[in-house]
Amino acid sequence: ETLQRLVDANPDDAQAARDLSVSLIKLGDFYLRRGQAGDAERALAAYEQSRDTHQRLVDANPDDAQAARDLSVSLNKLGDFYLRRGQAGDAERALAAYEQSRDTRQRLVDANPDDAQAARDLSVSLERLAMVLLQGGEHADPAVAQTLIERAFALRSAIAEGNPDSEELAREAIVTAGQLVAAYAAAKNIPAAEAVFQKLAANIIVYFKRGFEVHPQVAELAKQIGLTEEPSEE
């Protein structure tokens, strides 16, 4: 409410508007966690207002990369909400939000091809889109989902290779590799699944050898493919 008053008094103050949108996202997240009667509607209203605030900032400053990134975050929040709610038409709404987020992030990557954060953000949007398309229903499109995950894996692999000391980036590349193996297997593209499986295993071994504190996601994938946290020195 305090930030809203600031924005109302200074509608051209981009920082005030950005601060307001951040508070709205936090408020929406709170309502979803609390889960009382009416909280889903309150969360949606907060996410929508955040999206609209960011959209106005982008419209007023189309070359502002931070405003564009903030908009993409709000769009992903909306997409996540719709998928979680699962009412009639929500899959379509989630798809539209994720697509707009993907397009926004693609423009940022095109404008700044060496920006690792922009590439990482784009990979997140690609994976979210793939998640919708891999679900059943009228929007299911496994072939397109597979292409999206391929792109996400290529981006995450390049980012991880450029930052070899980052556990988080290494883990994200491993998790996406696991998703790609599953996508190929679902499409019965066994040669492609086996090729990525080999990369997945190699990446997990490198992850262990670097001495990272093993994340549960990596530990679970390693267990599934028969690796331990103490790879041989061969």
Side-chain angles (χ1 to χ4, degrees), residues 110-233:
D110 292 342
N112 302 279
D114 296 325
D115 187 333
Q117 183 61 59
R120 187 183 183 195
D121 289 343
L122 176 58
S123 70
V124 171
S125 288
L126 292 168
E127 289 174 356
R128 277 177 160 84
L129 267 176
M131 178 173 59
V132 177
L133 297 175
L134 284 172
Q135 293 181 354
E138 60 181 314
H139 300 292
D141 195 332
V144 173
Q146 179 178 295
T147 300
L148 293 171
I149 299 175
E150 287 172 342
R151 287 198 61 209
F153 177 59
L155 288 168
R156 290 200 183 277
S157 296
I159 297 167
E161 289 170 6
N163 299 271
D165 295 329
S166 171
E167 183 279 332
E168 185 176 20
L169 296 177
R171 165 172 37 93
E172 289 174 352
I174 287 169
V175 171
T176 304
Q179 293 172 350
L180 187 54
V181 170
Y184 282 140
K188 294 183 170 53
N189 187 346
I190 304 307
E194 290 177 345
V196 178
F197 179 90
Q198 295 301 321
K199 292 181 182 178
L200 171 63
N203 286 348
I204 292 177
I205 290 173
V206 170
Y207 179 95
F208 288 152
K209 286 185 175 180
R210 284 179 178 159
F212 293 134
E213 182 176 351
V214 178
H215 190 278
Q217 286 180 301
V218 177
E220 179 60 27
L221 276 171
K223 180 180 178 181
Q224 289 175 10
I225 66 177
L227 291 176
T228 70
E229 296 181 23
E230 297 179 355
S232 69
E233 295 298 326

Side-chain angles (χ1 to χ4, degrees), residues 38-116:
D39 276 351
E41 291 75 14
R42 296 182 185 100
L44 178 58
Y47 291 145
E48 287 179 331
Q49 187 180 350
S50 176
R51 184 268 320 274
D52 294 345
T53 300
H54 284 312
Q55 186 66 65
R56 285 194 294 272
L57 289 173
V58 170
D59 292 342
N61 302 278
D63 296 326
D64 187 332
Q66 184 61 59
R69 183 177 189 272
D70 290 342
L71 173 60
S72 72
V73 171
S74 291
L75 289 164
N76 278 349
K77 283 288 185 179
L78 270 175
D80 293 347
F81 172 86
Y82 288 131
L83 278 190
R84 175 173 175 166
R85 187 173 68 170
Q87 294 183 5
D90 276 352
E92 185 174 10
R93 295 182 186 99
L95 190 62
Y98 289 148
E99 285 177 335
Q100 187 181 351
S101 177
R102 184 269 317 273
D103 294 345
T104 299
R105 291 177 169 182
Q106 183 65 63
R107 286 193 292 271
L108 290 174
V109 169
D110 292 342
N112 302 279
D114 296 325
D115 187 333

